[in-house]
Amino acid sequence: MTTPTNASGASASSSARYLLRGASLLGRERVDLLVEDGRIAQVGSIAGAPGATVVDAEGLVALPGLVDVHTHLREPGREDAETVETGSRAAALGGYTAVHAMANSSPVADTAGVVEQVHSLGRRAGWVDVRPVGAVTVGLAGEQLAEIGAMASSAAQVRMFSDDGMCVHDPVLMRRALEYVKAFDGVVAQHAQEPRLTAGAQMNEGVVSAVLGLPGWPAVAEESIIARDVLLAQHVGSRLHVCHVSTAGSVEIIRWAKSRGISVTAEVTPHHLWLTDELVRSYDPVYKVNPPLRTQEDVEALREALADGTIDVVGTDHAPHPSEHKECEWAQAAMGMTGLETALSVVQHTMVESGLMDWARVAEAMSVVPSKIGRVADQGRPLAEGEAANITLVDPSARWTVDPSRQATKGRNSPFVGRELPGRVVATFFRGHPTVLDGALNAPHPQAAPVVAQ
Amino acid sequence: MATAAADNGASRTAAPAQNALSGRVVLSAADIDRALTRIAHEILEANKGPQDLVLLGIPRRGFPLAVRLARKLAAADPSIAAEQIVGQLDITMFRDDLSRQPTRPPSPTRLPAQGIDDKVVVLVDDVLYSGRTIRAALDALVDLGRPRIVRLAVLVDRGHRELPIRADHVGKNLPTSAAEKVRVRLAETDGPADASFLEDHVAIESPAGAETEERTR
Amino acid sequence: MKHLLSTRDLTPGDAIGILDTAEEMAAVNDREVRKLPALRGRTVVNLFFEDSTRTRISFEAAAKRLSADVINFAAKGSSVSKGESLKDTAQTLEAIGADAVVIRHSAAGAPHRLAVTDWIQAAVVNAGDGTHEHPTQALLDAFTLRRHLARVAGTPSAGADLAGAHVVIVGDILHSRVARSNVWLLTTLGARVTLVAPPTLLPIGVEHWPCAVSYDLDAALDQAPDAVMMLRVQAERMNASYFPSTAEYSRLWGLGDERFDRFDTPAFKDTVILHPGPMVRGLEISSTAADSDRSQVLRQVANGVSVRMAVLYLLMSAKESAR
């Protein structure tokens, strides 16, 4: 598929030229794309490009490089679960060119020092832009605001703040956080989970939990926080992002908030677009996640909301865990699922092949809007001349079976294990450099460009 | 085996299998009745009368045979009340081959009201083969009491003993090959369940099909 | 049947088969030599991550009466309390040569994990997992009720189901593994079940269960059920606001002396009281009721051994063919 023009070809510097021939732009018109000096030099019918490596993109869909608003890279602190290196490799293989690394590392990313560390680890790895997320409160403890300003003006240029994993449940603290981030054009990404209603919760509360005898995580615990937060965001005129929306009721509240002009964005994970709490009947902790898998009605509502834009983006909530945290009793098991390497395929299966979305909307939900939410420069841009060359090529006709042991992430906790998925990422171009070619990792970006906020 | 079946073809193997189900009848209903009558007289003779006799049938088909024997004893000696000397002895839990058999729920053990202590217990079974069933029955008996004498009566002795056990009273000795199966059918146990049941009989099944079944166990 | 994890998995035939086998086991328990050689040379491990002396000794007695070797593995004070995983514990038991593992665990689904993973090949018996199920308790309850109904009707209990019987289960349904196992098993056997509890102690989704639900114990008793099963109520629930006070709980949902007086009316002449134990006298049941001749509590304990013998025998004698 790839024809390198010199021996070092693919792994050469970003100044190399690539001619992507015959790609279907957002699943529509067939074009050639010339990539040069990290930028898209030309789009259209290109007769020839001397010295360029030709990538046969016939039948492939070209998307702007994917941007994940919700990734757990685990470093620093849990390098046995994932590192910035392994997590960003997984991201590249999944078609991503940027990820937002959540703050619940150890130490927590609640100071300029930690976010700069994560940021520089990301640049050193060179597979994607690693955009650290700063904690809202010190130690995610929900008691005292973290130094948001210091993180925002650090080298990491943090714009998204979240206590993800924990809910900023104190209404006064949440109000202050929403107000304070305005000074830095920031956004608070809320993990909506009323803690008292979910003490000890193990799975969605409903028909299945009643039978399994597992303590329930009721939908209202998510919905009540979202309802409160959209009203707070309206009151203080701030930006709110809702992480991993999981219930039909949450969708209704967000739809209502948007109709009132409230500045709220919402995210859904690939697994909540497909899987339901029926899977918990197996007691296999690979299906244990927070928020929990819900019901089929919720899945339908989430798909509809993502299609009509009520839910803006797909965020993976990629949450790798060492196998010993999953090979145990349900109650003892860690919550979370890997997702970077399956997200696009799951979205294709649940949204594109079901006719709910076209590829242009996929690009919106997985690249354009996520980069706007996170204020990521040069990402989520149109595939047009002069733009940074962040491009993902997908073969929508491919079929593959998920085998976690063959993934780049250290996490083996994919809930899609053994399932056949459609769509394969054939190539990922990160600032003009192919991090993935022929569906396999190529090489990291040789000189990761400075990452700046817009 | 699989090759042979393939060579024979499906239509040819089907027919002998049908025949195999009926088998070769070696004891008719009348033969069985005569054999039981003779055994009843032998029991009385060996015991020098009806004193202390208890008949314990081993499920499933030993029990109806024990009942029939008890009636014949009562017919021969009016001092005997058939229902008061007959019982059932389940040996399921005493088998040494539990793990090699499909799980079977145990049958009830019922002893006559007089119990078995110091009695002359005659164990009754349909077929004596390896002797393992009787070994299990002797163990089961020990846990229930202490008979004065234990004897064994069987309708058929087909040989191939694996333990030093022999019957005191035998309806018929049937030399068989290990590949063959001896099939006993009695009105009490098989009549209700099997619509094609006509009358009591003992048959030998010896086709290749039976052999296959034995080996694959 | 390779494992016994939940009564939901049992067909009516399976359930009656277990109860009938338990009848034969009960006969052995009446004999002078209360021992059968059926499981000689087999090893049963009682793997108890939660203290439960009653259940453990019942299983221990059952296994020993079948001549199995019994290893009691109490997780407390063992390597488990030092952080050993269920997986490592299971693999240790496999290496020791356990043929059956009787597991009691605070985590719902733990027996299920043992059964479906490749950690261990042994037959797994759920002896109570979290607030999920306690299948042998339900089986002994069904066994006790079946014998009672047969005695009243003057018919043999072997082979019978529970068609036409009405059982009222009262108490903390939300946290009760006994209630769950009983709802599935009793209804599988044809009985009608009514659950009675304060709304706070009923699970969300209970309306999908094959039983009636009521908040009113007196209204449920108006139907003169064949059995009333009182569940233990932990006083700690009061502190979690499931109910305002133990006094109010006993007044509304307890089988106190006043309610028990109804048992003297003709409609209640054959009604029995079941309780999985241990009882909290004065809270969910008065001493008068608990010590009355209607109480089957001690019969339940005795029947527990027979039922567990039946389960161990049926699972372990099937082992080789299942492997």
Side-chain angles (χ1 to χ4, degrees):
Chain A
M1 194 168 279
T2 311
T3 322
T5 49
N6 55 36
S8 59
S11 55
S13 82
S14 64
S15 63
R17 309 172 84 203
Y18 294 90
L19 179 59
L20 283 47
R21 202 177 271 296
S24 163
L25 203 62
L26 305 183
R28 294 168 186 161
E29 70 268 29
R30 184 186 169 286
V31 297
D32 306 326
L33 295 133
L34 181 63
V35 172
E36 200 168 42
D37 293 332
R39 302 251 152 212
I40 299 174
Q42 205 183 337
V43 180
S45 188
I46 302 169
T53 302
V54 176
V55 177
D56 178 6
E58 211 60 61
L60 307 186
V61 173
L63 300 171
L66 306 183
V67 177
D68 193 14
V69 287
H70 195 146
T71 314
H72 295 275
L73 293 180
R74 302 297 186 213
E75 193 174 0
R78 285 315 300 258
E79 289 80 1
D80 57 331
E82 192 84 291
T83 62
V84 171
E85 174 71 30
T86 58
S88 55
R89 281 172 180 238
L93 281 167
Y96 287 89
T97 50
V99 298
H100 288 79
M102 278 297 171
N104 62 340
S105 49
S106 176
V108 170
D110 57 1
T111 62
V114 178
V115 293
E116 285 189 347
Q117 182 197 355
V118 173
H119 178 247
S120 77
L121 285 168
R123 292 197 53 185
R124 208 174 305 154
W127 297 101
V128 292
D129 276 341
V130 173
R131 300 276 292 147
V133 175
V136 175
T137 66
V138 174
L140 309 178
E143 286 163 4
Q144 186 192 343
L145 282 186
E147 287 192 349
I148 286 170
M151 291 188 274
S153 55
S154 74
Q157 299 276 293
V158 176
R159 292 295 176 268
M160 182 185 276
F161 297 89
S162 180
D163 277 2
D164 181 65
M166 307 294 281
C167 179
V168 183
H169 61 92
D170 178 334
V172 176
L173 199 62
M174 185 61 182
R175 174 199 168 140
R176 300 280 182 256
L178 284 167
E179 287 177 314
Y180 194 72
V181 296
K182 287 200 288 182
F184 314 99
D185 191 26
V187 62
V188 177
Q190 174 69 295
H191 171 116
Q193 176 181 7
E194 210 300 307
R196 290 275 291 142
L197 282 172
T198 52
Q202 295 290 328
M203 68 172 296
N204 179 50
E205 181 166 26
V207 175
V208 180
S209 66
V211 169
L212 297 185
L214 288 171
W217 199 129
V220 64
E222 174 173 308
E223 292 154 7
S224 59
I225 292 291
I226 295 175
R228 181 199 75 178
D229 286 355
V230 295
L231 293 171
L232 282 174
Q234 179 185 38
H235 184 60
V236 302
S238 189
R239 282 207 289 150
L240 169 71
H241 176 70
V242 184
C243 297
H244 43 52
V245 169
S246 71
T247 78
S250 299
V251 167
E252 284 309 305
I253 293 163
I254 292 161
R255 192 171 280 140
W256 172 85
K258 287 189 164 182
S259 75
R260 305 230 325 185
I262 297 170
S263 180
V264 57
T265 53
E267 147 202 328
V268 64
T269 69
H271 46 269
H272 286 112
L273 288 172
W274 193 359
L275 310 178
T276 71
D277 63 355
E278 288 294 328
L279 291 165
V280 182
R281 291 186 192 276
S282 68
Y283 286 106
D284 186 341
V286 81
Y287 301 115
K288 185 173 177 181
V289 67
N290 195 21
L293 299 178
R294 305 287 186 182
T295 68
Q296 191 59 40
E297 292 75 58
D298 295 303
V299 166
E300 307 287 342
L302 293 169
R303 289 183 182 188
E304 197 184 309
L306 180 61
D308 72 16
T310 301
I311 290 178
D312 303 82
V313 302
V314 174
T316 62
D317 196 2
H318 175 80
H321 288 288
S323 60
E324 62 267 27
H325 290 185
K326 287 290 191 182
E327 288 189 338
C328 56
E329 306 86 310
W330 181 276
Q332 265 88 322
M335 300 189 185
M337 302 171 164
T338 60
L340 286 170
E341 289 162 87
T342 47
L344 188 56
S345 292
V346 172
V347 169
Q348 184 184 334
H349 170 76
T350 57
M351 303 301 296
V352 179
E353 297 193 343
S354 62
L356 288 166
M357 268 167 51
D358 59 13
W359 287 104
R361 173 75 190 112
V362 172
E364 285 280 317
M366 299 187 76
S367 176
V368 177
V369 184
S371 87
K372 282 186 183 147
I373 293 170
R375 302 292 195 247
V376 191
D378 283 348
Q379 296 266 9
R381 302 291 304 161
L383 296 180
E385 286 177 20
E387 296 288 353
N390 293 308
I391 307 167
T392 297
L393 293 178
V394 191
D395 177 2
S397 65
R399 290 285 183 282
W400 60 291
T401 301
V402 180
D403 176 0
S405 69
R406 300 182 59 182
Q407 292 184 326
T409 174
K410 284 192 179 181
R412 297 289 170 262
N413 49 312
S414 172
F416 304 107
V417 55
R419 291 189 192 229
E420 191 186 84
L421 299 181
R424 171 169 159 267
V425 173
V426 174
T428 307
F429 283 84
F430 171 46
R431 290 184 206 290
H433 169 78
T435 51
V436 173
L437 269 183
D438 290 338
L441 278 175
N442 179 34
H445 198 293
Q447 64 230 32
V451 181
V452 288
Q454 275 175 356
Chain B
M1 281 174 284
T3 323
D7 288 348
N8 288 342
S11 58
R12 283 182 61 196
T13 46
Q18 279 297 326
N19 289 343
L21 276 176
S22 54
R24 176 164 56 92
V25 173
V26 288
L27 287 178
S28 68
D31 294 336
I32 291 172
D33 191 60
R34 266 196 300 278
L36 291 176
T37 307
R38 178 169 52 73
I39 292 174
H41 282 100
E42 283 179 19
I43 288 172
L44 282 174
E45 197 174 86
N47 198 47
K48 299 186 171 64
Q51 301 83 12
D52 296 333
L53 271 179
V54 168
L55 305 189
L56 293 182
I58 298 172
R60 294 174 52 211
R61 296 188 182 80
F63 179 65
L65 291 176
V67 171
R68 292 186 195 188
L69 274 176
R71 290 204 194 106
K72 290 193 183 293
L73 290 174
D77 188 328
S79 73
I80 293 176
E83 66 279 7
Q84 284 171 19
I85 64 159
V86 71
Q88 170 163 287
L89 178 68
D90 184 64
I91 56 103
T92 314
M93 312 294 292
F94 295 84
R95 298 187 70 95
D96 60 4
D97 57 355
L98 271 178
S99 58
R100 266 167 266 152
Q101 300 280 343
T103 309
R104 52 179 85 180
S107 303
T109 288
R110 289 191 214 93
L111 300 185
Q114 50 177 314
I116 57 167
D117 286 346
D118 295 323
K119 303 293 178 193
V120 177
V121 170
V122 182
L123 296 173
V124 183
D125 204 1
D126 54 350
V127 179
L128 179 58
Y129 186 18
S130 65
R132 288 179 192 272
T133 300
I134 305 307
R135 198 279 310 152
L138 292 171
D139 279 359
L141 212 51
V142 165
D143 284 357
L144 291 169
R146 189 180 181 284
R148 183 160 57 85
I149 296 172
V150 181
R151 297 191 202 281
L152 174 61
V154 297
L155 182 60
V156 169
D157 182 349
R158 62 170 294 192
H160 303 284
R161 211 79 72 242
E162 295 167 7
L163 294 170
I165 284 171
R166 66 168 180 79
D168 301 275
H169 313 289
V170 179
K172 185 169 176 67
N173 284 298
L174 276 183
T176 57
S177 88
E180 290 171 324
K181 290 172 111 182
V182 174
R183 187 159 51 80
V184 179
R185 291 293 177 267
L186 299 175
E188 296 92 323
T189 49
D190 304 286
D194 182 1
S196 64
F197 179 85
L198 291 176
E199 59 165 22
D200 297 347
H201 65 267
V202 177
I204 293 181
E205 297 169 3
S206 54
E211 189 182 2
T212 306
E213 206 174 317
E214 287 283 341
R215 276 201 219 154
T216 49
R217 279 238 164 128
Chain C
M1 201 165 66
K2 167 98 203 292
H3 309 288
L4 179 65
L5 306 174
S6 157
T7 55
R8 262 168 91 92
D9 309 335
L10 299 176
T11 64
D14 292 337
I16 291 172
I18 295 171
L19 298 185
D20 287 352
T21 303
E23 287 286 355
E24 300 314 321
M25 300 300 180
V28 173
N29 289 333
D30 295 339
R31 290 192 341 213
E32 202 171 317
V33 179
R34 290 186 201 164
K35 197 155 180 131
L36 293 168
L39 299 182
R40 201 175 46 193
R42 306 298 187 83
T43 301
V44 175
V45 176
N46 286 324
L47 179 58
F48 276 53
F49 291 87
E50 237 183 27
D51 287 337
S52 174
T53 310
R54 304 163 65 95
T55 305
R56 184 184 51 74
I57 61 175
S58 182
F59 270 106
E60 186 170 351
K64 284 181 169 167
R65 282 181 198 176
L66 291 170
S67 304
D69 293 323
V70 180
I71 298 173
N72 287 315
F73 189 124
K76 253 187 197 163
S78 74
S79 49
V80 173
S81 57
K82 297 177 193 127
E84 184 176 271
S85 72
L86 180 62
K87 179 181 175 178
D88 289 333
T89 305
Q91 288 177 334
T92 302
L93 300 182
E94 175 80 350
I96 284 170
D99 296 291
V101 175
V102 175
I103 176 173
R104 161 72 66 109
H105 202 294
S106 59
H112 199 277
R113 291 304 290 158
L114 278 193
V116 302
T117 56
D118 57 5
W119 304 341
I120 190 167
Q121 300 303 310
V124 177
V125 181
N126 181 359
D129 60 332
T131 56
H132 177 222
E133 290 222 28
H134 193 353
T136 57
Q137 175 70 43
L139 284 162
L140 75 88
D141 291 336
F143 182 87
T144 305
L145 181 61
R146 189 175 81 153
R147 277 197 158 185
H148 168 70
L149 296 173
R151 199 158 44 230
V152 170
T155 53
S157 55
D161 60 14
L162 299 176
H166 181 207
V167 181
V168 173
I169 303 178
V170 190
D172 183 356
I173 309 296
L174 178 62
H175 300 98
S176 176
R177 48 193 171 210
V178 176
R180 281 178 181 76
S181 287
N182 263 304
V183 167
W184 317 133
L185 180 66
L186 296 177
T187 53
T188 294
L189 286 169
R192 189 159 63 86
V193 174
T194 304
L195 301 178
V196 181
T200 46
L201 291 175
L202 287 165
I204 296 287
V206 73
E207 64 277 10
H208 294 269
W209 291 8
C211 57
V213 176
S214 168
Y215 309 139
D216 185 341
L217 177 54
D218 291 310
L221 291 179
D222 285 344
Q223 300 176 51
D226 298 288
V228 180
M229 183 184 301
M230 304 305 297
L231 301 175
R232 182 164 65 112
V233 174
Q234 291 171 306
E236 306 95 85
R237 304 285 180 218
M238 188 184 86
N239 303 325
S241 297
Y242 287 104
F243 48 87
S245 68
T246 51
E248 175 151 323
Y249 182 90
S250 359
R251 198 158 56 239
L252 293 173
W253 291 285
L255 186 55
D257 287 347
E258 211 169 302
R259 273 197 188 94
F260 184 58
D261 283 345
R262 297 182 67 174
F263 281 60
D264 290 335
T265 60
F268 282 81
K269 98 182 139 55
D270 296 319
T271 302
V272 288
I273 299 167
L274 301 169
H275 195 299
M279 294 186 282
V280 187
R281 290 165 183 255
L283 181 49
E284 76 267 6
I285 190 166
S286 72
S287 279
T288 317
D291 298 333
S292 72
D293 59 357
R294 302 305 182 89
S295 167
Q296 303 286 303
V297 173
L298 293 177
R299 283 208 179 98
Q300 285 173 279
V301 175
N303 293 341
V305 177
S306 306
V307 161
R308 288 170 178 128
M309 286 173 76
V311 167
L312 289 174
Y313 165 70
L314 291 172
L315 292 182
M316 295 177 77
S317 61
K319 204 188 99 183
E320 217 70 24
S321 44
R323 264 194 169 176

